[in-house]
Amino acid sequence: MKTICIAGLKGGIGKTTTATSLAYLLANEQDKKVLLVDADVASGMVPVMAQGISESIMSPALEQVLDDTEYTKPKDLIKKSEYGVDVLTANGYLDLVNALLTIEKTNDQIFILKSFLESVAEEYDFCVIDCGLKMDITVINAVLAADLIISPMRLGGYELNASEIFDNQIFDLRELNPDVEVYALITCFQKS
């Protein structure tokens, strides 16, 4: 399974749109088995992918993975969407889980998502992870699980500054994931 992390430190740059569109296109136009993970505390992809799915899609599945809550099988947490993409959802509880993981005194809390994804890797061709706009424990988990990081960006002053900070943070994490590839994706053009 190839894991693609969509991340950046600025809101409104197209992370969720890129993640959901990429997952949909891989599943429906390339006939690939795709797992879409919502690693954003704002849970932006849930309304996009939840149409036609029962309320159980709103359950805090990623939080259960990160919080090491008891569950029988990883597949029990993954829901099927009507768009041909399986989803691992999140909700507002992810903020609390981030705080709890931040105060833990172990190093393995940054590899929880990677371990979970390895347990389902045989079932998928791709995993696309939609990240939030801050480098919290959830996003660090996503970055360390990724083979490829795509950082959407708009052309502008604040966006370039956020992109530079993000690049520096990824550079620091490369020691733990040296083979990860990082690409910028220009998502919106503005007249200037």
Side-chain angles (χ1 to χ4, degrees), residues 24-46:
Y24 178 86
L25 292 171
L26 285 168
N28 293 284
E29 296 199 4
Q30 299 298 313
D31 201 29
K32 301 297 182 185
K33 292 184 178 184
V34 180
L35 173 62
L36 179 59
V37 176
D38 191 354
D40 184 353
V41 296
S43 303
M45 75 124 190
V46 169

Side-chain angles (χ1 to χ4, degrees), residues 71-144:
Y71 53 88
T72 55
K73 296 182 242 172
K75 277 303 249 185
D76 291 344
L77 299 174
I78 297 170
K79 307 295 181 197
K80 296 207 175 288
S81 77
E82 69 179 49
Y83 300 106
V85 175
D86 289 357
V87 292
L88 182 67
T89 60
N91 66 20
Y93 183 60
L94 192 54
D95 249 344
L96 177 59
V97 172
N98 272 313
L100 294 173
L101 287 174
T102 300
I103 60 174
E104 263 189 34
K105 298 296 185 207
T106 65
N107 289 325
D108 63 345
Q109 76 265 29
I110 59 176
F111 295 107
I112 298 169
L113 182 57
K114 181 176 183 166
S115 176
F116 176 83
L117 294 177
E118 287 170 352
S119 75
V120 297
E122 294 295 319
E123 299 174 45
Y124 297 99
D125 300 306
F126 288 92
C127 174
V128 179
I129 306 172
D130 179 25
C131 292
L133 59 88
K134 58 185 177 181
M135 191 62 76
D136 56 23
I137 292 291
T138 302
V139 173
I140 290 170
N141 264 271
V143 165
L144 295 179

